[in-house]
Amino acid sequence: GDSVTQMEGPVTLSEEAFLTINCTYTATGYPSLFWYVQYPGEGLQLLLKATKADDKGSNKGFEATYRKETTSFHLEKGSVQVSDSAVYFCALNGGSYIPTFGRGTSLIVHP
Amino acid sequence: DAGVIQSPRHEVTEMGQEVTLRCKPISGHDYLFWYRQTMMRGLELLIYFNNNVPIDDSGMPEDRFSAKMPNASFSTLKIQPSEPRDSAVYFCASSLDPGGGTEAFFGQGTRLTVV
């Protein structure tokens, strides 16, 4: 079945540091890939997505590129802010139509 | 649209009591998902509906859990009887066309505490 593996957290960074959160997936066919963000006490919300190989999704300074050859969709940001502190989920929509999520990675950014 | 609306936001109940969680999806979304989130197990899919019909309930932990979607604008998740291990945050999400690459829209969740 479909699955998503992402790096365990928490990831702790200082403000303005570079962020990478690794994500790899297993799926049949050609899934769409997503990053969601969850702030404390809230539901998940879409951060960015890519629907085909080599597409780059971007939003609010975050980027991720759909790499079919390595089955990866790593999240990056060049300069994080305290307000980026949240839990980040990598996800895919595979052939089953069921959104499948990773375990989530907590990001803590210190001033 | 106001987004996916869940109620209540918080529920505290005693073991053995019946609990009903409610969800109003985004209008026009054909897919509705119920998830449970815990620290130990992360985000688990419980059940999903397509056009109000339950498609996959293999994630429902046991017979104490049931879900219905009587119309396109309303769904319920019921636990009867509730147990302390059911304590978690329950999310409802809806999507227009997940197979076509559309994202899931989540409600704010219901935090359930069973004492």
Side-chain angles (χ1 to χ4, degrees):
Chain A
D2 298 342
S3 67
V4 175
T5 303
Q6 60 183 106
M7 59 190 291
E8 292 191 19
V11 173
T12 304
L13 296 172
S14 297
E15 204 164 27
E16 299 184 2
F18 184 85
L19 168 71
T20 299
I21 301 178
N22 290 336
C23 170
T24 57
Y25 67 90
T26 301
T28 55
Y30 302 93
S32 297
L33 303 176
F34 305 83
W35 277 100
Y36 290 82
V37 59
Q38 183 180 29
Y39 299 102
E42 298 185 10
L44 282 70
Q45 55 186 275
L46 179 71
L47 179 60
L48 54 84
K49 70 178 183 181
T51 57
K52 62 182 186 295
D54 300 324
D55 269 2
K56 177 185 284 186
S58 61
N59 185 27
K60 300 181 182 179
F62 291 89
E63 294 183 340
T65 300
Y66 189 142
R67 300 289 188 199
K68 187 166 178 61
E69 64 275 13
T70 55
T71 61
S72 65
F73 193 54
H74 305 319
L75 182 68
E76 296 182 336
K77 186 174 185 182
S79 176
V80 294
Q81 306 299 312
V82 172
S83 56
D84 294 327
S85 297
V87 180
Y88 292 81
F89 291 86
C90 187
L92 66 84
N93 286 3
S96 65
Y97 294 177
I98 299 173
T100 301
F101 292 85
R103 289 295 306 269
T105 302
S106 175
L107 170 65
I108 301 169
V109 181
H110 294 292
Chain B
D1 202 315
V4 176
I5 300 172
Q6 292 187 245
S7 63
R9 288 294 309 277
H10 302 274
E11 177 79 41
V12 180
T13 191
E14 292 186 347
M15 182 173 62
Q17 296 298 306
E18 177 180 296
V19 176
T20 299
L21 311 181
R22 297 172 176 80
C23 174
K24 175 179 168 53
I26 293 174
S27 177
H29 282 191
D30 291 333
Y31 290 81
L32 183 140
F33 306 90
W34 282 101
Y35 289 90
R36 178 171 68 177
Q37 186 178 40
T38 61
M39 289 293 291
M40 289 293 292
R41 302 170 73 96
L43 202 61
E44 302 174 274
L45 177 71
L46 300 177
I47 185 171
Y48 85 95
F49 296 82
N50 178 215
N51 291 322
N52 314 338
V53 176
I55 303 300
D56 184 350
D57 66 354
S58 60
M60 297 285 259
E62 47 199 274
D63 292 346
R64 297 185 296 106
F65 285 69
S66 62
K68 294 181 179 180
M69 192 165 185
N71 57 63
S73 59
F74 184 65
S75 178
T76 60
L77 179 67
K78 185 177 295 186
I79 309 172
Q80 165 64 18
S82 58
E83 297 183 3
R85 61 191 166 124
D86 301 331
S87 297
V89 181
Y90 291 81
F91 287 104
C92 174
S94 70
S95 183
L96 180 63
D97 180 20
T102 61
E103 67 268 29
F105 291 79
F106 281 74
Q108 291 194 295
T110 296
R111 180 173 295 277
L112 173 65
T113 303
V114 183
V115 298

